[in-house]
Amino acid sequence: RKPSLLFPGGVREVYHKKGEDYKVIWPEKGEFVRAAAKHNATIVPFSAIGIADSFRMVADSNDILNAPIVGDYVQQRASLLPKARDNETFVAPLSIPQLPARFYF
């Protein structure tokens, strides 16, 4: 068995959009519980505060996908990636690192 980090909200929770700082995005169905049970994994609650403060978002996935010239290319490449949910797009935001004011685990 190997430890793994699971985000209940999936890609959508990891790649927040502009204006969604500190927002928890979990699906209505508890799919992560089923996935853990399927693999006999132990769920250990974990929280981190300050992660959103570590980056200044320049462009979120919507900005990138709607950008002239690169948007179509990024959408085409993202469509080749596997999806856990139909409504997810695996496009990382464009961000600039910065020092957070706080960082707790």
Side-chain angles (χ1 to χ4, degrees):
R1 289 176 37 148
K2 294 183 180 180
S4 58
L5 184 60
L6 179 87
F7 291 89
V11 172
R12 180 67 185 89
E13 183 179 16
V14 175
Y15 291 156
H16 282 84
K17 296 192 185 320
K18 287 182 181 176
E20 292 182 341
D21 294 343
Y22 312 112
K23 184 175 181 181
V24 177
I25 302 168
W26 281 16
E28 291 182 24
K29 297 178 182 176
E31 298 156 343
F32 70 98
V33 176
R34 281 190 210 86
K38 178 180 176 182
H39 298 284
N40 198 27
T42 302
I43 297 174
V44 179
F46 173 84
S47 178
I49 297 172
I51 301 296
D53 297 332
S54 300
F55 298 92
R56 183 172 62 83
M57 188 179 306
V58 176
D60 64 18
S61 59
N62 289 340
D63 295 332
I64 295 168
L65 293 171
N66 292 322
I69 302 170
V70 298
D72 290 338
Y73 175 76
V74 171
Q75 178 63 47
Q76 180 186 17
R77 300 297 298 174
S79 69
L80 301 174
L81 298 171
K83 293 182 181 183
R85 297 183 187 101
D86 291 334
N87 61 345
E88 287 186 334
T89 302
F90 196 73
V91 176
L94 177 59
S95 302
I96 298 172
Q98 63 185 20
L99 291 175
R102 59 189 174 165
F103 215 51
Y104 309 112
F105 293 94

